[in-house]
Amino acid sequence: MALLSIDQVSVAYDKVEAVRGVSLAIEPGQIVTVIGPNGAGKTTLLGAAIGLLPWRGRMSFDGIDLRRLDVEARIERGFCLVPETRELFGDLSVSDNLLLGGYSRRRDSAGVKRSLADVYGRFPRLSERRNQKASTLSGGERQMLALGRALMAKPRLLMLDEPSLGLAPIIVREVFRIIASLRELGVSILLVEQNARAALETADFGYVLETGEIVHSGAAADLMHDPRVTASYLGGH
Amino acid sequence: MNGEIAAILAMDGIASGAIYVLIGLGLVLIFAVTRVIFVPFGDIAAFTALSLASLETGGRPGTVGLVAVLAVLATAVEAIALARNRAFHRLPRALLFYLVLPLIPAAAVWFAAGTTLSMPLRIVLSLALVLPIAPLLDRIVFRPIADASVLLLLTVAVALHFALSGLGLMFFGPEGVRTKPLTDAVFDVAGLIVNGQMLLILAASIVFCGLLFLYFEFTIQGKALRATAVNRVGARLVGIRPTSTGTIAYLLASLLAGISGVLIAPVTTIFYDSGFLLGLKAFVGAIIGAMVSYPVTALGAVMVGLLESFTSFWLSAYKEVLVFSLLIPVLLWRSLSFAGTEEEEAEE
Ligand SMILES: Nc1ncnc2c1ncn2[C@@H]1O[C@H](COP(=O)(O)OP(=O)(O)O)[C@@H](O)[C@H]1O
Ligand SMILES: [Mg+2]
């Protein structure tokens, strides 16, 4: 059974539909990517899936109808989002941001402590800056913090919205390396990217979203060689 | 004015300032977490004083009726919301939180009325009685419009103040009260007579400011409150429910206001509507702290207390006028620095 199943979902801002009849599925342990140009509706789709935007259609996570869960209940069940805007707690320290990432597991303080050590191990830069305010971090460090904060919730499915946005190429490579390594933790990933090449290289399966609709889908390796995809998204070769 | 009078006025000012500090911090706390400028907040202090006075004379405080009315209303609002979402399985929990828990102290007071209670017990009971008022008002009035603009929330808060004044008159009556002093101790400090009540006010204010600081710095719930204040969407994304942190903020703030009510009741006559001026003076302190800074709010509140004390000596007829006139330059100065902070945020 799919971990996340999205079936004929539409999302509208007032009257304008930004996502129309989208269906996709993520199996446990998979990395699935949704690529597409700016304004295609990728962020809107993730916002609806996490429960921040109203939607029509059917969605379920781990067999539970998502209509019955609010955002916080999704997080408690390990369905998490690192949004495009990151939404860090700028005024709080790096370590407080991470601790709050484990808020949904606050009754398991030993587990939270272990996760914190694990995140610091994975992101040594965050460990060095643990007492600094989140607002003083560089773009790359913020992205690490956003990822680390989400990992503190022990996610089973992590949705990442443009994790490479605005980062220097060397840091982009680092971010994708970390995403690939999350698979070993048993975390499934829904990766939204404009950087189509890196996303398809990392993912198992891919969807192409254009003006709110899925126009292609397939195994990531196949999409990389699909002429319709290479022409528009991979610099045409 | 000689040095001795100045010292007495200063002490007086700091003591009333300490009261405004507790209320002002509560105002900032509620605003930070819920974006509501809780105008009727001073009423929580006044209602605590009135409850305490009533328990002292063996009466049955009007708070019992007030809390009962609010609990029933809040339960109804919650039940309707649950029915609309077909979330009937959450009904028992709603009954517990909006009906049973708020009514426990009310029931205890109902049955204890007429018996003689010790002073600490009276204080604890009055605080417990008053604690549910603000969270219940939140459920009834503010939660249905939680996403509204700060201005709309403020307008509703002002309307709520008038509603609460009406209820206050209905449940407490028009008489003013003054409770027995908490201590009769008098100290002689370098030739100045310092009464124990004043020291108690000061000590309580310092202790509770310290506790609030520790709560914010060292507990996950305290950090969750700060997180909600800093970024509501971010808070939701880590599983913090803004409605829950809002309730905690209302409870904590009510505790601070309740304590200030207990402290002020022996030194000032309190009427059902005395809360408004108390709240307004604390609000001046909170505005000096730009509704965000706890330490500056505390300083501002002490300043208000001092100003009030000295103007009451020189120009007692204009005391209130002068205190509130202070708001104008402060608001001007603050609106300039507000613009500055907004630019900073836009850069993020
Ligand atoms: N808050 C909003 N209100 C109205 N329209 C919006 C809003 N956010 C996004 N849109 C519109 O929805 C469409 C999809 O946007 P978005 O989901 O952000 O695309 P992507 O993430 O793929 O770049 C765009 O046409 C955008 O203009
Ligand atoms: Mg986007």
Side-chain angles (χ1 to χ4, degrees), chain A residues 50-52 68 70-73 75-76 81 83 87-92 96 99-101 103-104 106 135 142 149, chain B residues 89-90 216-217 220-221 223-224 226-228 230-242 244-245 248 348:
Chain A
I50 204 67
L52 288 171
R68 299 188 34 207
D70 59 7
V71 179
E72 296 83 355
I75 312 298
E76 273 161 25
L81 168 69
E87 307 295 349
L88 297 171
F89 306 121
D91 231 20
L92 272 61
D96 281 349
L99 279 175
L100 285 165
Y103 183 81
S104 56
R106 61 194 176 283
S135 58
R142 279 182 201 209
R149 189 180 72 177
Chain B
H89 59 284
R90 279 164 55 197
F216 283 147
E217 270 320 293
I220 189 78
Q221 270 315 336
K223 286 173 186 177
R226 284 166 65 202
T228 315
V230 173
N231 186 336
R232 298 173 78 78
V233 173
R236 298 199 69 190
L237 287 176
V238 298
I240 298 169
R241 282 195 173 75
S244 309
T245 43
I248 296 174
E348 283 200 6

Side-chain angles (χ1 to χ4, degrees), chain A:
Chain A
M1 186 187 55
L3 187 54
L4 176 69
S5 146
I6 295 182
D7 184 16
Q8 289 295 318
V9 164
S10 301
V11 191
Y13 294 103
D14 291 323
K15 287 276 168 290
V16 191
E17 282 207 321
V19 167
R20 281 192 302 273
V22 164
S23 299
L24 60 84
I26 298 166
E27 303 296 327
Q30 259 191 336
I31 300 185
V32 171
T33 185
V34 175
I35 57 176
N38 205 356
K42 305 182 295 296
T43 298
T44 306
L45 180 64
L46 297 193
I50 204 67
L52 288 171
L53 295 172
W55 47 275
R56 288 182 296 112
R58 280 177 300 279
M59 285 201 257
S60 66
F61 174 74
D62 200 19
I64 307 170
D65 182 356
L66 280 181
R67 292 215 176 280
R68 299 188 34 207
L69 303 181
D70 59 7
V71 179
E72 296 83 355
R74 284 166 166 83
I75 312 298
E76 273 161 25
R77 284 172 176 72
F79 180 24
C80 303
L81 168 69
V82 176
E84 195 172 359
T85 41
R86 312 302 174 231
E87 307 295 349
L88 297 171
F89 306 121
D91 231 20
L92 272 61
S93 69
V94 166
S95 71
D96 281 349
N97 269 271
L98 291 174
L99 279 175
L100 285 165
Y103 183 81
S104 56
R105 304 162 57 205
R106 61 194 176 283
R107 280 175 200 93
D108 171 24
S109 60
V112 170
K113 227 179 231 166
R114 249 179 286 124
S115 298
L116 188 63
D118 180 61
V119 167
Y120 281 144
R122 207 172 274 276
F123 305 104
R125 280 299 275 275
L126 295 183
S127 179
E128 286 162 27
R129 311 200 169 226
R130 61 177 80 187
N131 294 322
Q132 244 169 273
K133 277 189 183 183
S135 58
T136 64
L137 298 183
S138 71
E141 289 163 348
R142 279 182 201 209
Q143 180 51 16
M144 307 277 166
L145 181 56
L147 255 172
R149 189 180 72 177
L151 289 177
M152 290 293 297
K154 250 199 172 166
R156 296 167 60 205
L157 173 60
L158 191 53
M159 301 195 291
L160 304 172
D161 196 349
E162 311 247 8
S164 72
L165 189 73
L167 302 185
I170 188 169
I171 301 171
V172 171
R173 230 167 301 146
E174 168 82 1
V175 166
F176 278 101
R177 195 187 53 71
I178 291 163
I179 292 168
S181 77
L182 292 181
R183 194 205 300 260
E184 284 135 45
L185 291 179
V187 183
S188 312
I189 290 170
L190 176 55
L191 173 63
V192 156
E193 263 297 335
Q194 282 189 60
N195 187 340
R197 180 179 303 279
L200 288 173
E201 276 168 4
T202 315
D204 304 305
F205 202 87
Y207 295 87
V208 181
L209 192 67
E210 280 177 12
T211 55
E213 293 178 56
I214 304 265
V215 292
H216 310 294
S217 64
D222 297 342
L223 284 181
M224 278 226 276
H225 300 105
D226 187 324
R228 293 167 305 181
V229 175
T230 51
S232 320
Y233 300 106
L234 300 173
H237 65 178

Side-chain angles (χ1 to χ4, degrees), chain B residues 80-275:
Chain B
I80 291 169
L82 289 180
R84 210 176 269 163
N85 292 324
R86 306 188 176 283
F88 296 105
H89 59 284
R90 279 164 55 197
L91 213 52
R93 206 182 125 92
L95 286 178
L96 176 67
F97 278 103
Y98 295 111
L99 199 62
V100 177
L101 283 182
L103 287 180
I104 287 176
V109 169
W110 181 268
F111 291 115
T115 59
T116 39
L117 304 165
S118 67
M119 166 112 70
L121 194 57
R122 288 199 300 260
I123 292 177
V124 170
L125 271 180
S126 322
L127 288 173
L129 253 184
V130 166
L131 277 188
I133 294 178
L136 290 173
L137 288 172
D138 172 45
R139 180 62 196 97
I140 300 167
V141 179
F142 293 110
R143 219 176 290 165
I145 52 167
D147 295 323
S149 67
V150 170
L151 187 63
L152 178 66
L153 291 171
L154 173 61
T155 313
V156 171
V158 171
L160 182 62
H161 157 69
F162 288 108
L164 214 54
S165 289
L167 287 173
L169 180 59
M170 190 166 115
F171 285 109
F172 294 104
E175 301 82 22
V177 299
R178 201 180 264 243
T179 58
K180 291 181 193 144
L182 297 169
T183 165
D184 299 324
V186 174
F187 302 92
D188 184 333
V189 179
L192 274 179
I193 310 275
V194 181
N195 73 40
Q197 181 73 28
M198 244 175 223
L199 290 181
L200 202 62
I201 290 177
L202 217 65
S205 188
I206 291 169
V207 165
F208 283 98
C209 289
L211 286 177
L212 194 64
F213 172 78
L214 294 177
Y215 176 73
F216 283 147
E217 270 320 293
F218 296 108
T219 70
I220 189 78
Q221 270 315 336
K223 286 173 186 177
L225 255 65
R226 284 166 65 202
T228 315
V230 173
N231 186 336
R232 298 173 78 78
V233 173
R236 298 199 69 190
L237 287 176
V238 298
I240 298 169
R241 282 195 173 75
T243 50
S244 309
T245 43
T247 301
I248 296 174
Y250 276 110
L251 280 174
L252 266 179
S254 298
L255 183 65
L256 294 179
I259 287 162
S260 70
V262 170
L263 293 170
I264 201 173
V267 290
T268 313
T269 306
I270 299 286
F271 297 85
Y272 73 96
D273 61 351
S274 298

